[in-house]
Amino acid sequence: MKIDSKRPELIFEEKKAIKLFLWIFLVTYIIYDLYWYLFIPAYTHAKTIKFPDGGFGYWRYFLIFFMLVISIFLIKKDKIFGVKYFILISYFSIDFLDTFLKYFHTSKEFASGHIVELFFVLFAPIFVNKKYFWITSLVVILKYFLLGVTLHTKMVIFPIVLIIVISGISYFLLMRFCSYIVSLTSVYEELKKKEKLAVVGQMAAAIGHEIRNPLSSLKGFTQFQHEQYPNTNDFYPIMIDEIDRIDSIVTDLMYIGKPKALMIEKTSIQEIITYTVSVSKQHADRQGISIEVKLDDQVPLIDGDEKRLKQVFINLIKNAIEAMPDGGKIKIKVHLFQGNQICISIEDDGCGIEKENIKSLGEPFFSTKTDGTGLGLMVTKQIIMDHNGSFKIQSEIGKGTKVDVILSIINKQ
């Protein structure tokens, strides 16, 4: 699952991680140098305080300080996600040049390295970014590799091996962090969906019945007027169709708001498909669409709610018809799937659906249609799930859409 780095909560967490990273880096760097240059010389046989010599000398601390100042400036300018890369590249550039100047064309034996290098690798997982982790590990290893080549020393082998081992441990931590973040994101998305469902359910319970009663009267009156004066107004059929569409939306809302218990019984999927095709044929014919049906005679009866399953396939065929305003063909195929399941495929050669929209189909109020509500497919998905089934949508822009509905022959409630 891809995590959107522009989300405010993730920007806030990145800022906290950067600040923690800078503080630990600074404290670790200072304590290590104090220990190396002051504590060890003062409490060993040398009894003399040791100062940085060669390379940049004391200018190295000025460069590190300047790097930290620029990092703080970038944070204040909200350039959050680039700060960690700036610190990484800046520090290792300074450290590489300092070490190179210290040992190049000298007789000194190579003995360099700083504990903050391990800090960079070990703390890379706090940013939960695989790209940054790999860049960090490669930069540290590359530093020692280049020093080994330019200074002609084998003393870099041990640091390289150590960094590889530490990187392995760090990578394991990174994977755990990523898994945790993905789990939290999934739970968050699921809660959002449930909140949407709760809103739809409350709305349905409040207005569903109130809409349906006057709607029935309005449809009856419109039909009566159309029968009385069939040749006086061409708008009556349009009005009746629109009333039916409103009634369909209300029906979907009623089901979402208060799902009814399934009436499970032995049902023929072939009869259901035959019925739904006959119901949809008139609508398809008006748009110049042909429906081709291929039924497997070996398909047994299934345990399901006939009325609800009819609603499922009416919705799916209706969607296929609406995807082909200029005509086309719908192919429906019913066959056994993996022995104990039935696959019902509905394929059209319509306009298709964008890949990024497919995963959102079935969510409340999401629709690829200009005048759609998303409730029809949502109810369809819910009914299939109530039957312990599943459905898969495959689509390509300009070539059409295929929906596979998988139902178990025996529905375990």
Side-chain angles (χ1 to χ4, degrees), residues 7 10 37 41 44 46 58 63 91 94 131 135 140-141 169 175 219 243 259 300 314 318 322 341 344 356 368 375 386:
R7 287 168 58 171
L10 293 182
Y37 292 113
T44 59
Y58 287 106
L63 292 172
Y91 173 78
I94 294 168
K131 178 183 175 182
I135 290 176
V140 181
I141 293 172
I169 297 171
M175 289 298 95
K219 182 178 180 181
I243 291 172
I314 287 174
K318 177 173 170 287
E322 292 175 350
Q341 293 178 314
I344 304 95
E356 58 268 23
T368 57
L375 298 178
D386 289 344

Side-chain angles (χ1 to χ4, degrees), residues 273-333:
I273 294 299
T274 301
Y275 172 80
T276 54
V277 168
S278 65
V279 169
S280 309
K281 196 173 187 324
Q282 186 177 2
H283 186 192
D285 289 341
R286 285 202 302 265
Q287 293 190 202
I289 296 171
S290 62
I291 302 178
E292 179 184 297
V293 181
K294 185 177 180 181
L295 302 175
D296 191 339
D297 295 333
Q298 304 301 318
V299 173
L301 299 177
I302 67 169
D303 291 334
D305 187 321
E306 182 178 345
K307 183 179 178 182
R308 297 299 173 196
L309 290 175
K310 285 179 179 178
Q311 185 178 357
V312 165
F313 296 112
I314 287 174
N315 283 344
L316 293 178
I317 295 173
K318 177 173 170 287
N319 286 343
I321 292 172
E322 292 175 350
M324 297 183 291
D326 300 323
K329 179 185 287 187
I330 298 174
K331 297 178 182 178
I332 301 175
K333 183 179 179 181

Side-chain angles (χ1 to χ4, degrees), residues 216-230 236-237 239-241 243-244:
S216 299
S217 301
L218 183 61
K219 182 178 180 181
F221 176 75
T222 304
Q223 287 176 330
F224 175 75
Q225 288 292 101
H226 182 47
E227 291 170 1
Q228 288 290 103
Y229 310 101
Y236 283 125
M239 293 169 64
I240 292 171
D241 286 343
I243 291 172
D244 287 337

